[in-house]
Amino acid sequence: LHFAVSMHAQGVSIREDWNTLGMRATGSHSLELKDVFVPEDAITVRRPRGQWHPSWNVVLTVAVPIYMAPYVGIAERAAQLAREAASNRATDAIVLQHLGELENALATTRMAFKEMIENANDYNFEAVVEHANRALICKTITTNGATTTVRKALEIVGGGGLYRRHELERLLRDIQGAPFHPLPEKKQLDFTARVALGMSPIA
């Protein structure tokens, strides 16, 4: 069952448990619902457990660009810091090699994110699995590209980027959250392979 519940409803509470390595500023605490009354008219979707439901075609197409946007921003800021560091070491061929690799990874990140947004088409799209699949493929590519960008930024900045006084340290922690949003890469690969073969997206 899918339903909406007011944060102020009786039995709804916030568990202050968001104590994490990265993405600390999101404050994504857990919600606890205990003996909460849900009226019949609040239930918006009913679906069988463990089966693919068309509602997910909408959810994934719309949600993936939203929750991946911060990670694109993280990659872009890390790239900016790396360029600033590299500008003082432009005679170092290895630094230039790393910066070139960073720029490729950032370009890949941006292209995948752009396709993700185009896939949602300003919320004007047919609710079919092909759109959900496209969003998930782009999610994996965006994740890998952004993660590589930040890692390359550290290689350029050097060990100083690990100090908490350096902005890159927070970006390094924050980018770790990207792979864990739906779907993680291995599950996405299985999902995409099943769609390619005309099978149900989930077993």
Side-chain angles (χ1 to χ4, degrees):
L1 302 179
H2 294 247
F3 52 85
V5 172
S6 170
M7 290 289 294
H8 304 291
Q10 185 175 356
V12 176
S13 60
I14 299 176
R15 298 174 57 186
E16 300 282 342
D17 58 0
W18 188 250
N19 184 15
T20 60
L21 171 70
M23 302 303 286
R24 296 173 182 172
T26 66
S28 302
H29 301 295
S30 300
L31 289 176
E32 182 175 347
L33 279 67
K34 185 175 181 179
D35 299 326
V36 175
F37 173 71
V38 179
E40 184 72 21
D41 58 5
I43 299 173
T44 55
V45 177
R46 297 175 184 270
R47 61 180 179 85
R49 182 187 298 271
Q51 297 181 28
W52 184 255
H53 190 275
S55 63
W56 290 114
N57 295 332
V58 177
V59 171
L60 289 170
T61 303
V62 171
V64 173
I66 295 172
Y67 59 66
M68 289 307 297
Y71 299 104
V72 177
I74 289 168
E76 290 176 335
R77 179 55 181 159
Q80 185 177 358
L81 294 173
R83 293 186 198 108
E84 292 170 0
S87 66
N88 299 320
R89 299 161 61 196
T91 58
D92 188 326
I94 294 177
V95 169
L96 294 180
Q97 183 81 30
H98 285 317
L99 184 59
E101 292 171 342
L102 179 150
E103 295 294 346
N104 281 1
L106 182 60
T108 301
T109 302
R110 286 171 165 166
M111 286 187 285
F113 186 62
K114 180 181 179 182
E115 183 169 341
M116 220 184 282
I117 294 172
E118 292 173 350
N119 186 50
N121 195 32
D122 201 21
Y123 306 130
N124 182 22
F125 61 90
E126 188 179 356
V128 294
V129 72
E130 286 74 18
H131 285 299
N133 184 45
R134 185 180 179 194
L136 292 174
I137 292 172
C138 290
K139 186 265 178 181
T140 293
I141 295 172
T142 301
T143 295
N144 292 341
T147 302
T148 299
T149 300
V150 178
R151 188 179 70 247
K152 286 295 172 183
L154 179 63
E155 292 176 348
I156 294 166
V157 171
L162 295 175
Y163 282 84
R164 290 209 168 183
R165 64 174 178 264
H166 200 293
E167 184 181 352
L168 185 58
E169 186 271 344
R170 177 176 59 83
L171 302 178
L172 286 162
R173 287 188 287 103
D174 287 349
I175 200 65
Q176 304 306 314
F180 299 99
H181 292 277
L183 291 176
E185 182 173 2
K186 296 303 182 183
K187 290 186 177 181
Q188 174 266 310
L189 294 173
D190 182 75
F191 182 104
T192 297
R194 296 177 68 86
V195 170
L197 293 176
M199 302 165 62
S200 170
I202 58 176

